[in-house]
Amino acid sequence: AQSVTQLDSQVPVFEEAPVELRCNYSSSVSVYLFWYVQYPNQGLQLLLKYLSGSTLVESINGFEAEFNKSQTSFHLRKPSVHISDTAEYFCAVSNDYKLSFGAGTTVTVRA
Amino acid sequence: NAGVMQNPRHLVRRRGQEARLRCSPMKGHSHVYWYRQLPEEGLKFMVYLQKENIIDESGMPKERFSAEFPKEGPSILRIQQVVRGDSAAYFCASSPGTLSLSGANVLTFGAGSRLTVL
């Protein structure tokens, strides 16, 4: 069985400030890790994923996440956020077809 | 490429009525997954279907819920005799195959169907 814990439910942040969203997982087998973003009234969009190889993965819009096996973490970071990054972010884990999601972190970016 | 299409986007039902949610997967995708997002919670897996087959329904409530993915047409998630606790967003996702080591198969999610039970 797998589970995901997102440690922060709400993260307010000022525009151009850095943000870190924490994600820890538990699993008895090797897993793949994902971050999804959900903008208001929209479906989930894949932000980035870790399958194998380099432990640091990046998205096209400036987000990055680092897989840390020893700490079973996959924290998401962005060095400088924009107003348009306001959304809910979900960490997910999978070792086959079934994704297990965390409860989500709502990021609110203020000017 | 229209993506995963879900309809209706919003559905309002009174207690005891039936709700039918439809999902058309991306072109070329033969695997469909349904997830439910309750208020203030993350998405929870409900069921995984291939054409005409239910592969894994371990996340489906034992009663009132059913899903199908016929040879022709969209996948249907059916909720009979709805109760207030069924109010949620129901998301469908599709993939061309099972999630695999190659990473080539990644779920594509639809925009969701939001069910409100009065």
Side-chain angles (χ1 to χ4, degrees):
Chain A
Q2 303 144 14
S3 67
V4 176
T5 302
Q6 290 183 244
L7 297 163
D8 308 294
S9 60
Q10 305 270 349
V11 174
V13 59
F14 285 106
E15 195 174 19
E16 298 183 9
V19 71
E20 179 180 78
L21 309 183
R22 294 177 293 170
C23 171
N24 287 90
Y25 70 93
S26 65
S27 176
S28 56
V29 297
S30 296
V31 294
Y32 313 118
L33 295 155
F34 305 83
W35 276 99
Y36 284 85
V37 58
Q38 184 179 24
Y39 298 104
N41 298 314
Q42 295 186 28
L44 273 75
Q45 301 173 34
L46 179 66
L47 192 59
L48 46 75
K49 63 184 177 185
Y50 170 78
L51 303 176
S52 64
S54 173
T55 57
L56 184 66
V57 290
E58 299 176 351
S59 72
I60 58 173
N61 55 355
F63 283 94
E64 64 178 31
E66 187 160 17
F67 169 56
N68 188 319
K69 188 174 182 180
S70 63
Q71 297 186 5
T72 61
S73 68
F74 192 53
H75 301 331
L76 181 71
R77 301 182 183 93
K78 187 169 184 179
S80 176
V81 295
H82 302 288
I83 297 287
S84 59
D85 292 323
T86 292
E88 190 159 18
Y89 294 80
F90 292 95
C91 182
V93 63
S94 173
N95 70 331
D96 53 15
Y97 54 82
K98 199 182 301 184
L99 281 167
S100 296
F101 285 87
T105 299
T106 300
V107 173
T108 305
V109 181
R110 305 170 183 169
Chain B
N1 192 346
V4 178
M5 304 302 293
Q6 289 190 248
N7 66 83
R9 291 292 310 278
H10 300 276
L11 182 64
V12 179
R13 285 287 180 266
R14 297 189 181 280
R15 282 180 298 170
Q17 292 184 317
E18 179 179 285
R20 282 190 181 224
L21 309 177
R22 289 176 291 277
C23 169
S24 296
M26 281 188 69
K27 187 175 181 179
H29 286 194
S30 58
H31 298 242
V32 165
Y33 314 77
W34 285 94
Y35 284 78
R36 176 166 66 171
Q37 183 182 25
L38 294 168
E40 310 296 325
E41 295 185 20
L43 282 74
K44 297 285 195 290
F45 169 81
M46 299 182 74
V47 62
Y48 162 36
L49 310 104
Q50 295 177 23
K51 284 283 187 182
E52 301 184 278
N53 287 305
I54 297 175
I55 308 302
D56 181 350
E57 56 182 349
S58 59
M60 290 278 272
K62 292 289 184 275
E63 297 176 348
R64 302 186 297 107
F65 284 71
S66 62
E68 62 177 8
F69 189 17
K71 187 176 181 181
E72 301 292 336
S75 175
I76 306 285
L77 180 67
R78 182 183 178 204
I79 312 172
Q80 295 178 289
Q81 299 175 328
V82 296
V83 301
R84 289 215 174 102
D86 296 333
S87 294
Y90 292 83
F91 287 94
C92 173
S94 72
S95 74
T98 55
L99 297 177
S100 68
L101 287 171
S102 70
N105 299 337
V106 176
L107 296 183
T108 300
F109 280 86
S113 292
R114 283 164 175 78
L115 172 66
T116 301
V117 180
L118 302 177

